[in-house]
Amino acid sequence: MIVLLLAAGCSPDPPLADQEVTIIVPGAPDGGWDALAMSIKRVMEKEELTDKEIRIVYKEGDGGENGWSRLNESGSGTIAINSSLLLTNELLGHSTLHFSDFTPLATMASEWQTVIVPEDSPIQSITDLMHILRQNPEQHPVGIEPQFGNDDQIAFAEAARAQNLSAASLRFFRYSNADALLQALQSGEVAAASLSSSQSEAFAANEAVRIIAISSPERLGHLPNVPTWKEQGIDVVFPHWRGVMGPGDMSEREKKQWQELLTAVQSSPYWKEELQENHWTAFYRNSQDTEALLEADFKKYRYMMEQK
């Protein structure tokens, strides 16, 4: 039963029949998708939003494709974590899956894109990096993970274009997970890496790397020494959102139940703790607004990819 909703005086339909709740993470444990799934699970359990078991399952491979394909073979008790990679996979021809194949349920949070370099790198700023790339991009590849066309690559390409650098001239190396990306950075295989702020913070805290830029509109309170792209002369602000979707054949009743549950999650004080702990930005969108976001971002990314 959805205890919190009933206590608040709501009378939703019986929740999700008698099945357990499953959250599909379309990637490896310990990544950004996993962090969101774990946060949702913790809040649901603390608030007792369901009396069913909540399972997280990992379906790695093909930049999310394996996990998202599994979703449409599942029942209404199963949801999957998504991000803009759902959109760009199709635009790049990596997938035939379209966001309309699924039921948008919510956008839960966003974070920012960062650029990191080894601690001993002569590159001190994003300006230094762009200068080096302008001189010889072939000799200074940029690492990303886990798939070409994700926000890591697109955000960096946008920053480069803002510096009159052709995105087509950049050389990107793709790695299957964050550990492989870090190893490539430290070995000198790549000159820099573009990745989410939560991942870069973990690396900077435990490994010999430096964060030289972040895509937020202003410096973050917990990263006061990390300059934004904007203050280094790159007029780009780039949020990286993550959300939740259900199977494409989900009924309106099931969709309503999930939306009520996820609204309860993001309204919880425990959710605010999760945002703070993960250094995420509140970015909640309900099902209708998430559908509009997907449509708008699909057009935005298509335009970006058409630029040279």
Side-chain angles (χ1 to χ4, degrees):
M1 67 190 156
I2 302 182
V3 178
L4 182 64
L5 296 177
L6 294 176
C10 300
S11 298
D13 294 327
L16 307 176
D18 293 320
Q19 53 193 316
E20 65 183 13
V21 173
T22 300
I23 304 175
I24 295 175
V25 172
D30 300 325
W33 286 327
D34 185 30
L36 181 59
M38 293 294 293
S39 291
I40 292 172
K41 180 178 187 288
R42 279 192 291 268
V43 174
M44 288 176 65
E45 290 174 341
K46 289 177 180 179
E47 292 285 10
E48 299 181 343
L49 297 181
T50 177
D51 58 0
K52 306 303 177 187
E53 180 186 1
I54 304 169
R55 293 194 312 136
I56 294 178
V57 298
Y58 300 92
K59 295 295 176 182
E60 301 179 43
D62 290 341
E65 176 90 357
N66 288 353
W68 294 326
S69 296
R70 166 74 179 273
L71 178 60
N72 270 347
E73 301 171 0
S74 307
S76 63
T78 300
I79 59 174
I81 305 300
N82 65 13
S83 68
S84 61
L85 201 55
L86 176 68
L87 311 177
T88 57
N89 277 356
E90 179 189 3
L91 288 168
L92 289 169
H94 297 156
S95 172
T96 59
L97 295 176
H98 187 68
F99 64 86
S100 62
D101 295 332
F102 305 96
T103 301
L105 296 173
T107 308
M108 299 301 294
S110 75
E111 57 180 318
W112 303 103
Q113 292 297 129
T114 55
V115 178
I116 62 174
V117 296
E119 181 64 47
D120 59 358
S121 170
I123 299 170
Q124 297 298 314
S125 67
I126 194 70
T127 305
D128 288 348
L129 178 58
M130 292 300 175
H131 176 74
I132 290 171
L133 292 177
R134 186 174 288 107
Q135 299 300 315
N136 195 348
E138 282 293 317
Q139 295 300 314
H140 298 90
V142 177
I144 60 170
E145 63 91 21
Q147 183 68 288
F148 290 122
N150 67 351
D151 274 355
D152 298 347
Q153 183 179 16
I154 291 176
F156 193 92
E158 279 299 286
R161 273 194 286 264
Q163 291 287 289
N164 297 317
L165 260 171
S166 167
S169 72
L170 302 176
R171 193 178 183 199
F172 290 97
F173 284 3
R174 180 185 69 86
Y175 299 91
S176 60
N177 56 61
D179 288 339
L181 174 61
L182 179 62
Q183 183 176 357
L185 183 71
Q186 293 180 321
S187 70
E189 189 170 271
V190 294
S194 175
L195 69 173
S196 66
S197 56
S198 59
Q199 289 176 303
S200 66
E201 288 174 53
F203 288 165
N206 300 304
E207 308 288 348
V209 302
R210 287 184 283 111
I211 308 173
I212 61 171
I214 191 166
S215 66
S216 53
E218 56 188 29
R219 294 197 187 198
L220 303 184
H222 65 283
L223 293 174
N225 297 322
V226 177
T228 67
W229 290 353
K230 288 178 70 70
E231 68 182 276
Q232 297 183 80
I234 299 175
D235 192 17
V236 175
V237 172
F238 199 105
H240 176 67
W241 56 261
R242 296 188 183 95
V244 178
M245 62 188 183
D249 61 357
M250 187 173 280
S251 70
E252 284 300 316
R253 172 178 170 272
E254 293 162 344
K255 178 179 173 181
K256 177 175 179 287
Q257 290 169 351
W258 268 112
Q259 182 164 266
E260 288 176 340
L261 192 150
L262 292 167
T263 298
V265 167
Q266 70 88 34
S267 300
S268 167
Y270 297 120
W271 182 249
K272 293 178 177 58
E273 292 176 3
E274 294 292 334
L275 292 176
Q276 184 174 7
E277 177 70 21
N278 289 284
H279 297 147
W280 292 335
T281 299
F283 199 71
Y284 179 73
R285 305 288 188 275
N286 64 20
S287 177
Q288 182 178 355
D289 290 342
T290 294
E291 184 172 5
L293 174 68
L294 291 169
E295 291 173 351
D297 273 11
F298 188 80
K299 294 177 182 177
K300 179 182 75 173
Y301 287 125
R302 182 170 57 194
Y303 172 78
M304 288 178 178
M305 290 178 184
E306 289 171 350
Q307 306 305 299
K308 301 298 183 182

